[in-house]
Amino acid sequence: MERIRERVIQIYGNLVSLLQKCIFCILSVGPIPNHIAFIMDGNRRFAKKCKLMEGAGHKVGFSALMSMLKYCYEFGVRYVTVYAFSIENFKRSPEEVQSLMDLMLKKIEEILKKQSIVNRYGVRVIFSGNLKLLSEPVRLAAERAMLATAKNSKAVLSICVAYTSTNEIMHAVQESCEEKWDEITLLNSSGAGYGLISLGGYEQDEMDHLIKLTDIEKHMYMAAAPDPDIIIRTSGETRLSNFLLWQSANCYLYSPSVLWPEIGFRQFLWAILNFQQIHFYLDKLRKQS
Amino acid sequence: MFFISSFLHVSVHQVTVFKLLPLYFPSSFPISKIYFNLFFFFFSFSFFNFSKPLFSRLCLNRSMDFAKLKRMLCYWIHQIVNILLRLTWHLLHFTIHLFYFAINIANALESHLISKGLLRRYKSLHISKLQYLAIVIESEDCRTSNVIELLQWLADLGVKHVCLYDKEGILKKSKDFILEKFDGATLFQENDVLLDQPLMTLEFASFSDGKEAVAKAANVLFMKYLKSGSTSSYQGEQIFTESQMGEALKTVVGGNGPEPDLLLVYGPARCHLGFPAWRIRYTEIQHMGPLKSMKYGSLIKAIYKFTMVQQNYGK
């Protein structure tokens, strides 16, 4: 009896994945987004709604993340970014922060295993953010994961931890200043003799353009990925909460009202269909800028 | 036999035509796409009927390889499946268009009821919660008459501070015209504090107030860095803080401006079109549809939805 039930469930699972593959075939007629970003909001509300323990919402959220990644990579989306932990989240209670860090550590170890999604789809994992704010074990695990998956080239997963957009912009500005400073010091020491350190010979106009926009963009944490095409924020909230503010100028913002652990194929499908409807317009915007 | 073969022959051309179609047709209504496809199908079908004799001779040629025939069959089956997929895709998007059309009618009805004051929920708005409102308008849609009407509605609702943004800067160019025509507002001064003022303050922004302002602020900070006489290397240490960046932004042209609480997007898509990144950290972004079909009721509904939101700010 049990075997028959298992068999039925297996057949049902196969049918569902076959149907999903057919839908992906149909959708690939239209434009496929290159980069999708997710703001994983609503884990705590889900735990409260289902009367689970404190950290359980995040665990269910992680499995929702894995299924969303599977849909993205099967459909052919090359870059996926997820907002795992914001710098503002450090303000939460120390126990909650610690449990989130422990969960992150455990899951990093899991995704490095052989049969995980990372190896199945050839995903390169990047951790974007101010990693210095993380505790030592998490930071080392993150660096290990980045190193281990560095050779994968089929797809990219950017996990934003200790990340806020304003921090990213400020960090990029700082890096460009340091780079410019090194450049000037080098010029000065090689005797190019601009006297730049004393700022004597520079016109006001030139001073305003020492650091260019391209320098700043080069040093962003998210420089490895192109601008996102769709940003999906669950739980119906309509704000970006300091996520990819710089990169989302021509990006479709989608806010389904489901909570993150409840997100499924339906929401993904709807996001892609809406993206395909307005793709012509967004593409035109992108070409103009 | 030759009907089938000419039908299959047509499909080859259909594939190339389908690929080029999106370039020529805007995404607004795919019915035109379907009719165009059907027309092209019948045109190619009749054209290839002229090549019927040649083709039938080829097919009936007994010396044709069986493997070659199998290959051809696979190829034609592949083309048929391709056509079916494309037709299904177009049908799917057509259904979605119909769905949005119905949704728009329902929204129009609801906003009509709201503006008549028939829905109790929207009668009293806590407008004081909305300190600073930003409106993003698609540059091609920017008609000053619509903008002035919108500003009038906002003034009636009691909104005190508004920022008008459009990517190309068209609103900035017609700044004087708008301020002249709409006499209930003054220009937002750089160091204005958000106090209660009798007239509405208006700010005009464009794309150059976003990324380029950050580049200018970066130059300001770099000058400060050089002037502070840094001789030792600061590699790895944090030399700037976010508040310093904010201060530097305030000093550059276009970088100053408070953070909006609510951002209304009047355009074809829900996209903030490059509004200055530093200012929209926790801004609620709502899509209102195209500017030419703006409605008073939807404005009230958007502001009402905003007043119902609770933010944790990360905690």
Side-chain angles (χ1 to χ4, degrees), chain A residues 44 88-89 92 166 174 181 208 210-211 238-239 241-242 245 248-250 253 274 276-277 281 285, chain B residues 27 89 93 100 138 167 211 219 226 230 237 242 270-273 277 281-285 314-315:
Chain A
R44 289 186 295 180
E88 307 289 327
N89 291 149
R92 293 186 183 177
T166 43
Q174 182 174 312
W181 165 257
D208 279 343
L210 278 177
I211 298 182
T238 52
R239 54 190 179 270
S241 289
N242 228 333
L245 303 176
S248 54
N250 301 315
L253 309 170
N274 279 327
Q276 290 185 336
Q277 294 249 309
Y281 166 69
L285 277 181
Chain B
S27 62
W89 185 82
H93 276 276
Y100 274 125
E138 165 56 40
K167 197 165 180 182
K211 294 189 178 181
N219 278 305
L226 286 180
S230 47
E237 268 177 48
E242 278 184 42
R270 183 159 169 258
C271 170
H272 65 75
L273 300 180
R281 290 184 302 159
Y282 295 106
T283 310
E284 301 287 329
I285 302 174
K315 279 205 279 277

Side-chain angles (χ1 to χ4, degrees), chain B residues 144-288:
Chain B
T144 32
S145 49
N146 284 346
V147 173
I148 291 170
E149 195 183 349
L150 182 64
L151 289 174
Q152 191 57 56
W153 289 346
L154 289 171
D156 291 339
L157 285 172
V159 179
K160 283 296 173 194
H161 306 275
V162 176
C163 171
L164 290 173
Y165 172 92
D166 83 291
K167 197 165 180 182
E168 309 288 322
I170 294 177
L171 285 173
K172 249 191 191 168
K173 289 187 200 131
S174 19
K175 178 165 61 174
D176 298 318
F177 179 71
I178 292 176
L179 284 171
E180 197 188 298
K181 281 277 175 169
F182 179 64
D183 52 4
T186 58
L187 200 60
F188 180 75
Q189 297 306 323
E190 304 266 295
N191 295 312
D192 257 354
V193 185
L194 290 180
L195 292 173
D196 255 338
Q197 291 166 7
L199 287 177
M200 191 161 79
T201 60
L202 269 185
E203 187 195 344
F204 291 87
S206 71
F207 189 69
S208 59
D209 298 327
K211 294 189 178 181
E212 286 170 27
V214 170
K216 285 188 212 153
N219 278 305
V220 164
L221 283 173
F222 184 54
M223 288 300 128
K224 222 185 276 182
Y225 179 43
L226 286 180
K227 279 185 188 136
S228 69
S230 47
T231 46
S232 58
S233 166
Y234 276 97
Q235 296 295 339
E237 268 177 48
Q238 190 139 335
I239 38 175
F240 299 140
T241 58
E242 278 184 42
S243 53
Q244 278 179 313
M245 185 76 206
E247 290 300 320
L249 269 172
K250 284 205 174 79
T251 61
V252 300
V253 173
N256 192 21
E259 294 187 13
D261 299 302
L262 175 62
L263 189 110
L264 299 176
V265 181
Y266 280 96
R270 183 159 169 258
C271 170
H272 65 75
L273 300 180
F275 194 89
W278 203 262
R279 295 165 66 179
I280 47 170
R281 290 184 302 159
Y282 295 106
T283 310
E284 301 287 329
I285 302 174
Q286 292 202 28
H287 182 220
M288 305 294 290

Side-chain angles (χ1 to χ4, degrees), chain A residues 16-26 74 265:
Chain A
V16 165
S17 61
L18 185 69
L19 185 67
Q20 284 171 0
K21 280 200 174 69
C22 285
I23 294 179
F24 282 156
C25 270
I26 297 173
E74 300 227 322
F265 188 70

Side-chain angles (χ1 to χ4, degrees), chain A residues 47-272:
Chain A
K48 217 179 278 180
K49 191 168 113 175
C50 298
K51 300 193 177 54
L52 302 171
M53 271 179 58
E54 277 281 318
H58 294 278
K59 291 198 183 83
V60 184
F62 181 78
S63 52
L65 173 64
M66 288 294 117
S67 61
M68 287 311 281
L69 287 180
K70 190 170 77 101
Y71 299 144
C72 286
Y73 295 132
E74 300 227 322
F75 186 43
V77 180
R78 260 206 90 199
Y79 296 89
V80 178
T81 304
V82 291
Y83 198 12
F85 197 83
S86 162
I87 295 181
E88 307 289 327
N89 291 149
F90 280 116
K91 290 187 200 149
R92 293 186 183 177
S93 64
E95 302 87 34
E96 196 179 337
V97 175
Q98 188 55 43
S99 73
L100 283 171
M101 290 293 145
D102 292 335
L103 180 69
M104 219 180 302
L105 199 58
K106 196 167 126 200
K107 295 303 175 187
I108 294 176
E109 302 292 328
E110 242 178 64
I111 62 173
L112 287 179
K113 288 206 191 104
K114 248 187 162 187
Q115 293 308 314
S116 71
I117 197 171
V118 159
N119 290 316
R120 214 178 337 148
Y121 296 105
V123 181
R124 180 174 143 218
V125 178
I126 302 177
F127 283 86
S128 313
N130 197 355
L131 299 180
K132 296 194 194 79
L133 295 174
L134 294 171
S135 60
E136 188 81 17
V138 184
R139 186 159 33 101
L140 289 174
E143 281 167 9
R144 225 183 12 243
M146 285 199 275
L147 208 62
T149 55
K151 294 221 173 58
N152 297 342
S153 58
K154 279 203 226 144
V156 174
L157 172 65
S158 311
I159 306 179
C160 294
V161 273
Y163 172 96
T164 52
S165 211
T166 43
N167 182 272
E168 180 188 31
I169 296 172
M170 186 210 71
H171 173 261
V173 165
Q174 182 174 312
E175 292 279 302
S176 347
C177 284
E178 282 176 7
E179 189 190 31
K180 207 77 203 187
W181 165 257
D182 290 338
E183 222 176 85
I184 290 176
T185 333
L186 204 65
L187 278 174
N188 227 36
S189 63
S190 69
Y194 290 147
L196 289 165
I197 308 295
S198 56
L199 294 174
Y202 252 146
E203 296 290 336
Q204 184 61 40
D205 227 16
E206 287 170 8
M207 284 209 285
D208 279 343
H209 293 104
L210 278 177
I211 298 182
K212 297 190 184 47
L213 202 59
T214 42
D215 297 326
I216 300 177
E217 296 203 317
K218 201 168 50 177
H219 288 114
M220 290 269 176
Y221 291 132
M222 293 293 302
D227 284 349
D229 293 303
I230 313 177
I231 295 185
I232 301 179
R233 179 178 183 143
T234 49
S235 71
E237 304 293 345
T238 52
R239 54 190 179 270
L240 285 174
S241 289
N242 228 333
F243 181 61
L244 297 185
L245 303 176
W246 182 271
Q247 295 88 345
S248 54
N250 301 315
C251 165
Y252 170 57
L253 309 170
Y254 173 53
S255 295
S257 50
V258 284
L259 300 171
W260 174 255
E262 295 169 342
I263 197 172
F265 188 70
R266 251 189 316 153
Q267 285 78 22
F268 181 72
L269 189 64
W270 191 241
I272 300 286

